[in-house]
Amino acid sequence: APADDYGQQITLSFIEAVEKRGGEVLEMIWYSGEPRSLRHEFRELRELAFQLLAADSTDTTNILYYDSTLVLNTASDSLKIKLDRIEGIYIPLYQQDIEFIAPQLAYWNFKTQLLGDVNWYQPLTLEKYRRYIDRIIFVTSTWFPEDDPKFIRYIEDYEATLGKAPDILNIT
């Protein structure tokens, strides 16, 4: 989550909702500034997933050999392993950050349910990065049909005039 007031407030609200329903948040990881590279943050999440994998395994002598068909010679080789021990990753963000975060999610190879805040509701951006985040779940107070010609024209006009995509406040 962004390490600012917005990120902290929405993350703490999410954690409260999860815990109220009997769930558990295993880790909170923050980033500052533009998230062009979240290498350290995603590496930390992968380490957590490997720890969970080891805890579930009867043989923890060499957890990197989770899939015996893989030859792991370097730390980056472990990226070949899809980690499925984290049930979900909640990523609140700013709309302009989707283009940075979406490809990184695919690169770090988590097999998990992605969850997001209202800022993920950017139909054109989501379509562009669909191959990375095809199954993300997020909530929004509004919905606009992506194939509605009036909606498409509004988005295109807005972007042409202001040079950026509209946020939810500019659409409603």
Side-chain angles (χ1 to χ4, degrees):
D4 59 16
D5 288 340
Y6 171 74
Q8 290 176 10
Q9 288 174 5
I10 198 161
T11 300
L12 293 177
S13 294
F14 176 80
I15 291 169
E16 183 180 313
V18 167
E19 290 175 347
K20 187 181 287 186
R21 288 161 182 79
E24 178 184 9
V25 174
L26 300 176
E27 187 76 32
M28 289 187 297
I29 299 175
W30 309 97
Y31 66 85
S32 297
E34 196 173 62
R36 288 187 179 273
S37 173
L38 297 177
R39 176 183 317 150
H40 301 292
E41 292 82 358
F42 283 121
R43 184 176 288 148
E44 189 175 330
L45 273 178
R46 283 191 66 83
E47 288 174 8
L48 172 64
F50 274 117
Q51 290 171 11
L52 294 171
L53 181 62
D56 289 347
S57 175
T58 56
D59 176 18
T60 59
T61 55
N62 192 348
I63 198 62
L64 287 179
Y65 285 94
Y66 171 68
D67 182 342
S68 61
T69 63
L70 296 174
V71 178
L72 302 174
N73 298 318
T74 66
S76 65
D77 289 337
S78 71
L79 290 174
K80 295 176 183 175
I81 299 172
K82 279 192 176 187
L83 293 173
D84 61 0
R85 291 304 190 262
I86 297 175
E87 291 182 39
I89 298 176
Y90 176 62
I91 304 177
L93 48 62
Y94 292 103
Q95 293 169 345
Q96 67 271 16
D97 294 342
I98 294 172
E99 69 180 284
F100 303 121
I101 292 177
Q104 292 180 73
L105 285 167
Y107 174 80
W108 288 97
N109 209 5
F110 291 99
K111 184 179 179 186
T112 187
Q113 178 61 62
L114 298 175
L115 306 167
D117 64 345
V118 67
N119 289 323
W120 281 93
Y121 185 59
Q122 296 294 309
L124 299 176
T125 304
L126 288 176
E127 183 62 33
K128 181 177 179 180
Y129 294 100
R130 174 182 226 145
R131 68 178 180 250
Y132 304 128
I133 52 172
D134 190 36
R135 298 186 53 182
I136 189 166
I137 296 173
F138 57 89
V139 295
T140 181
S141 60
T142 56
W143 176 79
F144 299 96
E146 298 173 22
D147 57 350
D148 181 342
K150 290 179 185 176
F151 178 68
I152 293 169
R153 189 171 41 255
Y154 172 79
I155 298 293
E156 290 170 348
D157 290 347
Y158 189 98
E159 289 177 343
T161 303
L162 298 175
K164 65 178 184 174
D167 61 26
I168 195 69
L169 296 176
N170 301 119
I171 295 175
T172 57

